[in-house]
Amino acid sequence: MKMKSWFSVVCLSMGLLGASATAQADDDITLGRTIVFENTDYGAPIPLLVCRRVDAIQVKADRNMYLRKVVATFKNGDTKTFRFYRNIKEDDTTDWRELPYKRCVKKLEVFGESKNSSAGVRVYGRT
């Protein structure tokens, strides 16, 4: 009976050890995805189901587009506007825009225009 208990403890410990190493190695997370259309003045919202704590954001475009800004809404209702005003080529990313400390992001809104009919946009966060 003791051998079975010892074996289960060893298996559980190895599983937890592997899970913690995986969580620590993954610093960049995908906060959300949206589609930006051509000739629009309104933002493309990305509602987050759970609050994600990040200290920086980065934007990646699936097609050529012009990115104006990204507005992040935090858990306490405050907002932060990250201004880009630049063209992003297909499969290119912006630089990391940092926050002063880790904040809990609840919603994102992407403002920009697609060079084609539409462009997919991914917003990444750094934990």
Side-chain angles (χ1 to χ4, degrees):
M1 188 72 166
K2 287 186 178 187
M3 188 64 158
K4 287 183 181 179
S5 301
W6 181 81
F7 183 70
S8 62
V9 167
V10 168
C11 288
L12 181 64
S13 299
M14 294 300 281
L16 291 175
L17 185 63
S20 66
T22 307
Q24 290 176 357
D26 221 4
D27 288 337
D28 301 341
I29 57 172
T30 302
L31 292 176
R33 301 176 188 187
T34 190
I35 297 174
V36 175
F37 294 105
E38 189 176 25
N39 299 329
T40 60
D41 290 333
Y42 58 89
I46 304 174
L48 300 170
L49 298 176
V50 294
C51 186
R52 304 300 301 258
R53 290 181 53 84
V54 296
D55 65 352
I57 68 161
Q58 182 181 47
V59 179
K60 179 180 179 182
D62 292 340
R63 291 188 185 171
N64 294 343
M65 68 170 292
Y66 180 75
L67 180 65
R68 286 195 302 263
K69 62 184 175 180
V70 175
V71 178
T73 304
F74 303 110
K75 186 176 181 179
N76 63 354
D78 291 347
T79 61
K80 167 78 173 161
T81 302
F82 299 94
R83 300 186 191 280
F84 292 96
Y85 296 111
R86 61 177 263 188
N87 289 315
I88 302 176
K89 300 211 183 276
E90 184 174 349
D91 292 330
D92 198 10
T93 59
T94 63
D95 55 333
W96 285 99
R97 298 291 175 100
E98 296 186 5
L99 293 165
Y101 54 91
K102 282 191 179 184
R103 306 252 349 232
C104 194
V105 178
K106 192 70 175 167
K107 179 184 170 189
L108 293 165
E109 200 167 6
V110 179
F111 291 86
E113 295 177 1
S114 170
K115 298 294 182 184
N116 300 326
S117 60
S118 65
V121 177
R122 296 178 190 187
V123 180
Y124 296 107
R126 187 172 59 197
T127 58

